[in-house]
mmCIF file of all heavy atoms in Angstrom:
data_model
loop_
_atom_site.group_PDB
_atom_site.id
_atom_site.type_symbol
_atom_site.label_atom_id
_atom_site.label_comp_id
_atom_site.label_asym_id
_atom_site.label_seq_id
_atom_site.Cartn_x
_atom_site.Cartn_y
_atom_site.Cartn_z
ATOM 1 N N VAL A 128 58.886 168.735 135.691
ATOM 2 C CA VAL A 128 59.703 168.334 136.833
ATOM 3 C C VAL A 128 59.750 169.524 137.785
ATOM 4 O O VAL A 128 59.731 170.686 137.351
ATOM 5 C CB VAL A 128 61.127 167.912 136.406
ATOM 6 C CG1 VAL A 128 61.079 166.633 135.593
ATOM 7 C CG2 VAL A 128 61.839 169.011 135.624
ATOM 8 N N SER A 129 59.790 169.274 139.058
ATOM 9 C CA SER A 129 59.769 170.333 140.073
ATOM 10 C C SER A 129 61.152 170.548 140.667
ATOM 11 O O SER A 129 61.945 169.607 140.803
ATOM 12 C CB SER A 129 58.789 169.973 141.194
ATOM 13 O OG SER A 129 57.457 169.975 140.712
ATOM 14 N N GLY A 130 61.412 171.809 141.034
ATOM 15 C CA GLY A 130 62.673 172.144 141.689
ATOM 16 C C GLY A 130 63.777 172.530 140.726
ATOM 17 O O GLY A 130 64.959 172.559 141.105
ATOM 18 N N TYR A 131 63.399 172.894 139.496
ATOM 19 C CA TYR A 131 64.382 173.258 138.467
ATOM 20 C C TYR A 131 63.871 174.457 137.677
ATOM 21 O O TYR A 131 62.682 174.790 137.713
ATOM 22 C CB TYR A 131 64.625 172.081 137.509
ATOM 23 C CG TYR A 131 65.165 170.861 138.203
ATOM 24 C CD1 TYR A 131 64.297 169.931 138.768
ATOM 25 C CD2 TYR A 131 66.531 170.649 138.327
ATOM 26 C CE1 TYR A 131 64.792 168.813 139.437
ATOM 27 C CE2 TYR A 131 67.030 169.538 138.984
ATOM 28 C CZ TYR A 131 66.157 168.622 139.547
ATOM 29 O OH TYR A 131 66.640 167.524 140.202
ATOM 30 N N HIS A 132 64.781 175.130 136.968
ATOM 31 C CA HIS A 132 64.356 176.190 136.062
ATOM 32 C C HIS A 132 65.150 176.097 134.763
ATOM 33 O O HIS A 132 66.269 175.579 134.741
ATOM 34 C CB HIS A 132 64.501 177.574 136.706
ATOM 35 C CG HIS A 132 65.913 178.003 136.954
ATOM 36 N ND1 HIS A 132 66.611 177.676 138.090
ATOM 37 C CD2 HIS A 132 66.769 178.754 136.202
ATOM 38 C CE1 HIS A 132 67.828 178.184 138.041
ATOM 39 N NE2 HIS A 132 67.961 178.848 136.913
ATOM 40 N N PHE A 156 68.646 174.040 135.349
ATOM 41 C CA PHE A 156 69.477 174.138 136.554
ATOM 42 C C PHE A 156 68.608 173.872 137.778
ATOM 43 O O PHE A 156 67.393 174.059 137.740
ATOM 44 C CB PHE A 156 70.097 175.535 136.665
ATOM 45 C CG PHE A 156 70.900 175.950 135.479
ATOM 46 C CD1 PHE A 156 70.293 176.638 134.430
ATOM 47 C CD2 PHE A 156 72.255 175.662 135.389
ATOM 48 C CE1 PHE A 156 71.019 177.032 133.322
ATOM 49 C CE2 PHE A 156 72.994 176.047 134.280
ATOM 50 C CZ PHE A 156 72.376 176.736 133.240
ATOM 51 N N ARG A 157 69.242 173.463 138.849
ATOM 52 C CA ARG A 157 68.516 173.309 140.108
ATOM 53 C C ARG A 157 68.054 174.680 140.587
ATOM 54 O O ARG A 157 68.778 175.666 140.490
ATOM 55 C CB ARG A 157 69.398 172.652 141.162
ATOM 56 C CG ARG A 157 69.832 171.237 140.802
ATOM 57 C CD ARG A 157 70.610 170.575 141.936
ATOM 58 N NE ARG A 157 71.097 169.261 141.545
ATOM 59 C CZ ARG A 157 72.330 169.032 141.126
ATOM 60 N NH1 ARG A 157 73.216 170.021 141.071
ATOM 61 N NH2 ARG A 157 72.706 167.812 140.771
ATOM 62 N N SER A 158 66.838 174.722 141.097
ATOM 63 C CA SER A 158 66.255 175.979 141.573
ATOM 64 C C SER A 158 66.260 176.026 143.088
ATOM 65 O O SER A 158 66.168 174.980 143.763
ATOM 66 C CB SER A 158 64.814 176.104 141.059
ATOM 67 O OG SER A 158 64.164 177.221 141.648
ATOM 68 N N GLU A 159 66.362 177.235 143.632
ATOM 69 C CA GLU A 159 66.249 177.394 145.085
ATOM 70 C C GLU A 159 64.804 177.221 145.536
ATOM 71 O O GLU A 159 64.545 177.010 146.722
ATOM 72 C CB GLU A 159 66.769 178.773 145.488
ATOM 73 C CG GLU A 159 68.264 178.958 145.223
ATOM 74 C CD GLU A 159 68.755 180.330 145.645
ATOM 75 O OE1 GLU A 159 67.903 181.143 146.099
ATOM 76 O OE2 GLU A 159 69.961 180.585 145.517
ATOM 77 N N ASP A 160 63.871 177.315 144.597
ATOM 78 C CA ASP A 160 62.456 177.143 144.887
ATOM 79 C C ASP A 160 62.032 175.724 144.517
ATOM 80 O O ASP A 160 61.986 175.375 143.338
ATOM 81 C CB ASP A 160 61.641 178.156 144.080
ATOM 82 C CG ASP A 160 60.136 178.037 144.322
ATOM 83 O OD1 ASP A 160 59.719 177.170 145.113
ATOM 84 O OD2 ASP A 160 59.388 178.802 143.687
ATOM 85 N N PRO A 161 61.726 174.877 145.496
ATOM 86 C CA PRO A 161 61.379 173.486 145.187
ATOM 87 C C PRO A 161 60.078 173.325 144.417
ATOM 88 O O PRO A 161 59.802 172.260 143.875
ATOM 89 C CB PRO A 161 61.273 172.833 146.574
ATOM 90 C CG PRO A 161 60.963 173.968 147.508
ATOM 91 C CD PRO A 161 61.690 175.155 146.940
ATOM 92 N N THR A 162 59.270 174.413 144.347
ATOM 93 C CA THR A 162 58.001 174.321 143.620
ATOM 94 C C THR A 162 58.111 174.818 142.182
ATOM 95 O O THR A 162 57.160 174.686 141.412
ATOM 96 C CB THR A 162 56.905 175.137 144.342
ATOM 97 O OG1 THR A 162 57.225 176.533 144.280
ATOM 98 C CG2 THR A 162 56.774 174.714 145.795
ATOM 99 N N GLU A 163 59.257 175.388 141.806
ATOM 100 C CA GLU A 163 59.415 175.888 140.436
ATOM 101 C C GLU A 163 59.411 174.712 139.460
ATOM 102 O O GLU A 163 59.987 173.657 139.733
ATOM 103 C CB GLU A 163 60.715 176.682 140.297
ATOM 104 C CG GLU A 163 60.856 177.355 138.935
ATOM 105 C CD GLU A 163 62.036 178.318 138.862
ATOM 106 O OE1 GLU A 163 62.749 178.461 139.884
ATOM 107 O OE2 GLU A 163 62.235 178.928 137.800
ATOM 108 N N ARG A 164 58.769 174.906 138.322
ATOM 109 C CA ARG A 164 58.572 173.806 137.373
ATOM 110 C C ARG A 164 59.230 174.083 136.028
ATOM 111 O O ARG A 164 59.248 175.226 135.563
ATOM 112 C CB ARG A 164 57.077 173.560 137.143
ATOM 113 C CG ARG A 164 56.318 173.127 138.372
ATOM 114 C CD ARG A 164 54.816 173.105 138.113
ATOM 115 N NE ARG A 164 54.082 172.589 139.269
ATOM 116 C CZ ARG A 164 52.757 172.507 139.334
ATOM 117 N NH1 ARG A 164 52.013 172.898 138.300
ATOM 118 N NH2 ARG A 164 52.167 172.014 140.410
ATOM 119 N N VAL A 165 59.731 173.020 135.428
ATOM 120 C CA VAL A 165 60.144 173.047 134.031
ATOM 121 C C VAL A 165 59.211 172.117 133.273
ATOM 122 O O VAL A 165 59.171 170.906 133.531
ATOM 123 C CB VAL A 165 61.607 172.583 133.841
ATOM 124 C CG1 VAL A 165 61.952 172.503 132.345
ATOM 125 C CG2 VAL A 165 62.566 173.521 134.550
#
Side-chain angles (χ1 to χ4, degrees):
V128 293
S129 293
Y131 299 87
H132 68 274
F156 304 91
R157 297 185 184 98
S158 172
E159 295 181 358
D160 180 0
T162 67
E163 186 171 0
R164 297 172 176 177
V165 175

